[in-house]
Amino acid sequence: MPSFDTVCEPNMVEVRNAVDTSAKEIGTRFDFKGTSAAIELKDKEITMFGDAEFQLTQVEDILRNKLTKRNVDVRFLDIGKVEKIGGDKVKQVVKVKNGIETEDAKKITRLIKDSKIKVQASIQGDAVRVNGAKRDDLQAAMALLRKDMTELPLSFDNFRD
């Protein structure tokens, strides 16, 4: 029976490369000289440091540009609140989304069931598996998900015939 998995997984190698090139650019830019502007990646969290919120937005802009150049969707970024750390310094934690949360997975299965396409969707951990009798039905389900679930950077893996 044909099936595919709907997943939400970033390319972490490209994310690391984007963070590294962003850190390199921050170190060489004239407007960041003598400031505490920095960016680092630990596990799936990117931490941005700066002297003011304005500087954090500049660092975030650099990061977004580098991610876009490396074909990483910026919808993977879950930007947190700005936190004050010692003196006038601030930091911001950006989480890199990985996997579909249960709430979003339920939304996807509900969308597929309401569409009347002859496929079945089931939640498999942090992915949603879609089964159907015909390949055309599966492709219609993919098109539906791409069109209606714009807030998530979905990709389709494990297509089996």
Side-chain angles (χ1 to χ4, degrees):
M1 192 162 188
S3 68
F4 69 86
D5 290 341
T6 305
V7 294
C8 181
E9 292 178 351
N11 186 345
M12 287 308 290
V13 173
E14 293 296 337
V15 171
R16 175 170 300 287
N17 290 338
V19 170
D20 290 343
T21 56
S22 298
K24 206 176 283 184
E25 182 176 329
I26 290 166
T28 58
R29 270 182 48 171
F30 180 74
D31 55 340
F32 290 132
K33 290 276 190 236
T35 65
S36 65
I39 186 169
E40 60 184 34
L41 174 71
K42 285 186 182 158
D43 295 325
K44 294 188 190 291
E45 283 189 351
I46 301 169
T47 310
M48 301 183 296
F49 300 97
D51 289 338
E53 282 188 47
F54 173 72
Q55 211 169 46
L56 284 181
T57 55
Q58 286 181 317
V59 172
E60 181 185 335
D61 190 41
I62 292 170
L63 176 65
R64 284 179 185 270
N65 288 337
K66 299 298 180 190
L67 286 171
T68 305
K69 283 182 183 174
R70 298 197 160 271
N71 293 326
V72 177
D73 200 329
V74 292
R75 292 179 292 178
F76 283 117
L77 301 180
D78 186 21
I79 298 169
K81 291 190 162 93
V82 176
E83 305 167 18
K84 290 200 178 287
I85 53 172
D88 58 348
K89 312 253 185 281
V90 290
K91 80 171 185 174
Q92 190 172 26
V93 176
V94 179
K95 290 190 171 90
V96 180
K97 293 179 192 173
N98 192 14
I100 300 173
E101 295 175 12
T102 53
E103 181 180 306
D104 293 328
K106 287 178 184 178
K107 240 190 253 184
I108 290 171
T109 55
R110 175 66 45 218
L111 180 69
I112 289 174
K113 286 179 182 171
D114 292 345
S115 70
K116 304 293 186 208
I117 300 173
K118 293 182 180 174
V119 293
Q120 293 82 37
S122 59
I123 300 171
Q124 307 275 319
D126 59 354
V128 177
R129 175 154 297 158
V130 180
N131 297 318
K134 296 181 185 171
R135 181 186 289 175
D136 293 340
D137 292 339
L138 292 179
Q139 289 173 342
M142 282 182 192
L144 176 77
L145 289 175
R146 279 193 190 105
K147 186 181 73 138
D148 289 350
M149 296 300 290
T150 55
E151 69 273 1
L152 288 176
L154 296 176
S155 59
F156 306 104
D157 286 355
N158 222 0
F159 193 89
R160 302 232 168 116
D161 214 0

